[in-house]
Amino acid sequence: MQHTRLFFSLMACTLMVVACTSCGPESPPPPPPPSTPTPPVIPVFNADSAYNDIASQVAFGPRVLGSEGHAECKDWLVETLKATGARVLQQEFTAEVYTGEKFRATNIMAQFNPDVSDRILLCAHWDTRHIADSPLSEERQEEPILGADDGGSGVGVLLEIARQLQENPVGIGIDIVLFDAEDYGESGGETESYCLGSQYWSRNPLTPYKARYGILLDMVGAKGAQFPIEGWSWHYAQSTVEKVWGMAARMGRSNYFINQGTQGGITDDHYFVNLLAGIPTIDIINLSGTEQTSFGAHWHTHNDDMDIIDKNTLRAVGQVLLAVIYNEDAGLL
């Protein structure tokens, strides 16, 4: 009996311990693994559409300050951007060029998600050169050029990107700015005689404006184009260069986006956006030329027409740019 009572006493104590243990606080569950942003679906860049937009610009003739083609193209650009659902702003200003002449000029800004403070700037110039002053050609030097590549190509790529943003919205703010009066500068003259539109926009923002960074497109449509890392881009916006050229490498586009630098910087719209607006901005620009000209044999000649435009080049630039935008939106860059 004593053994029996002892057995039951031990059992009772054991049950009390078990009961007390089960009534105690539970151990917290292990923390969930860190979440990884979902890779975005990148829209397919339509090179045919971009090509057609370049052809539409060229059909207006040279888009030189003061010309009928310039005025008609401006109206077409505004309506084309409005059709994408963007908020479109026009910034009119007087461009006083190196000859002393004064022309009416217009910067065009299309905003997607205009109320979002976190923004990216995409830009190009839409005017064309008033003379054909390349050292590689003496043909009709006093006549304006069509500017299919130099002017038309950057705009064509950005118009197609605007359509993709309409069809495939993002959460970040995107601004597309088409600068006027970029190419009416003096050959061999002061750098400030060029890029009058970006100088004016940078000094006179249409709205209180700041962006993470900017990307300028200039001459991005020619056959055989190559885009090495331009000097001012690396100086002012190294991290953005690394994003864009790194994305191009991952996409197999290093035959276009050459991972090497150039000697010195190019005076282009991005220079003044960096210097005056303080927005770190890079320049994707064709620098596949020779010692006589860095910009290709068609630059500032009458060969800068639709025959020089290559859809493969347009596709490479446009697809890389879309990948950058949508990866930024997904938090992956």
Side-chain angles (χ1 to χ4, degrees):
M1 291 293 291
Q2 290 180 348
H3 291 292
T4 303
R5 283 197 296 273
L6 180 60
F7 171 78
F8 282 111
S9 296
L10 292 172
M11 286 294 294
C13 290
T14 301
L15 290 171
M16 289 178 65
V17 171
V18 172
C20 290
T21 302
S22 64
C23 292
E26 296 181 1
S27 299
S35 60
T36 302
T38 303
V41 176
I42 312 298
V44 176
F45 184 83
N46 189 331
D48 291 332
S49 177
Y51 182 92
N52 291 337
D53 284 334
I54 299 169
S56 294
Q57 294 171 78
V58 170
F60 291 111
R63 282 84 66 208
V64 177
L65 294 174
S67 70
E68 184 177 339
H70 181 268
E72 292 176 347
C73 187
K74 184 206 76 170
D75 293 340
W76 177 79
L77 289 170
V78 169
E79 293 307 313
T80 301
L81 287 167
K82 284 182 177 179
T84 67
R87 181 172 75 177
V88 180
L89 307 174
Q90 299 180 62
Q91 184 183 49
E92 295 189 357
F93 65 101
T94 299
E96 184 171 356
V97 301
Y98 70 95
T99 62
E101 298 171 276
K102 296 181 180 180
F103 297 101
R104 179 181 176 183
T106 308
N107 294 324
I108 304 167
M109 185 172 183
Q111 296 191 297
F112 293 85
N113 302 327
D115 297 326
V116 175
S117 60
D118 188 12
R119 313 197 66 77
I120 292 173
L121 170 66
L122 308 175
C123 47
H125 76 90
W126 67 273
D127 64 306
T128 56
R129 185 74 171 152
H130 60 299
I131 50 178
D133 59 335
S134 167
L136 300 181
S137 174
E138 296 181 357
E139 181 186 1
R140 297 154 51 205
Q141 289 187 325
E142 298 305 314
E143 296 181 22
I145 66 170
L146 283 172
D149 190 31
D150 192 1
S153 63
V155 173
V157 169
L158 293 183
L159 291 179
E160 172 57 16
I161 286 176
R163 293 190 191 95
Q164 294 299 334
L165 291 170
Q166 179 186 32
E167 296 174 8
N168 306 276
V170 294
I172 57 176
I174 303 292
D175 299 300
I176 292 176
V177 179
L178 307 182
F179 294 123
D180 201 358
E182 188 265 3
D183 224 349
Y184 212 116
E186 181 180 10
S187 298
E190 295 293 328
T191 58
E192 289 79 6
S193 68
Y194 289 87
C195 308
L196 301 183
S198 55
Q199 290 186 61
Y200 187 86
W201 182 87
S202 298
R203 290 189 174 102
N204 304 277
L206 284 163
T207 58
Y209 188 75
K210 193 65 180 175
R212 289 188 196 179
Y213 57 80
I215 299 175
L216 172 68
L217 305 182
D218 196 357
M219 294 181 284
V220 293
K223 299 171 184 175
Q226 291 187 326
F227 312 111
I229 299 168
E230 181 273 337
W232 293 124
S233 303
W234 187 254
H235 177 78
Y236 284 109
Q238 179 178 338
S239 64
T240 306
V241 168
E242 291 171 343
K243 287 182 180 184
V244 175
W245 267 255
M247 182 64 72
R250 291 192 292 276
M251 297 173 68
R253 301 295 191 180
S254 293
N255 56 324
Y256 291 98
F257 289 80
I258 309 300
N259 192 24
Q260 64 185 38
T262 61
Q263 293 184 352
I266 304 297
T267 300
D268 207 348
D269 287 316
H270 73 305
Y271 174 74
F272 296 103
V273 174
N274 278 299
L275 188 68
L276 302 176
I279 299 170
T281 303
I282 67 170
D283 193 4
I284 301 176
I285 183 169
N286 180 13
L287 297 174
S288 62
T290 64
E291 291 184 359
Q292 288 180 286
T293 172
S294 301
F295 305 116
H298 64 287
W299 174 75
H300 287 190
T301 75
H302 294 287
N303 291 325
D304 188 359
D305 55 21
M306 290 305 297
D307 289 340
I308 199 66
I309 300 298
D310 183 3
K311 292 180 184 179
N312 292 318
T313 306
L314 298 173
R315 184 177 296 108
V317 174
Q319 198 65 61
V320 168
L321 215 54
L322 285 174
V324 169
I325 293 168
Y326 284 84
N327 275 279
E328 284 282 15
D329 187 55
L332 292 172
L333 281 182

